[in-house]
Amino acid sequence: MSSNVILRDVSEDDLPIYFEQQLDKTANYMAAFTAKDPSDKVVFKAHWEKILNDERIIKKTIILNGEVAGQISSFEQFGEPEVSYWIGREFWGKGVATRALSQFLNVVNIRPLYARAAKDNIASIRVLEKCGFRICGEDKGFSNARSEEVEEFILKLPL
């Protein structure tokens, strides 16, 4: 397992890689709360244009050994600061998410900070818990990726 994970500012050149990563059906299933149609490039581009133009959103590209492994961001959702990440499936199981989140938490010093994960996304829950997040609640919502209502945990990184 390599520890050469770095975060850098998102570049427009990263977007085609993000787009390909989010087309993965298994990754969509695990993330649960995804775009209605991940293959819609117009919606994808509009979504990322909003993100890139919003200075309130902290967004970083995750690099592993020179390759774009995914992305991580912090934004306001439901009135609370939240963190979210997406790791390309080819990078799963290598500790990339844990190292990226750990580094990101040095950039984002807002506390408390929240995260959400589908209850069956054990790997993501473990990543969050390794970085100090604790389950503080539950919610549920419609999952486009699963075409059904999905239960999720709300996790909190305290002060």
Side-chain angles (χ1 to χ4, degrees), residues 84-100:
S84 180
Y85 49 86
W86 187 286
I87 306 297
R89 189 156 58 115
E90 64 272 28
F91 300 98
W92 290 7
K94 298 178 181 183
V96 174
T98 301
R99 289 193 303 276

Side-chain angles (χ1 to χ4, degrees), residues 66-80:
E67 286 187 81
V68 173
Q71 47 90 8
I72 189 166
S73 61
S74 179
F75 49 91
E76 188 174 301
Q77 182 167 293
F78 307 117
E80 301 287 356

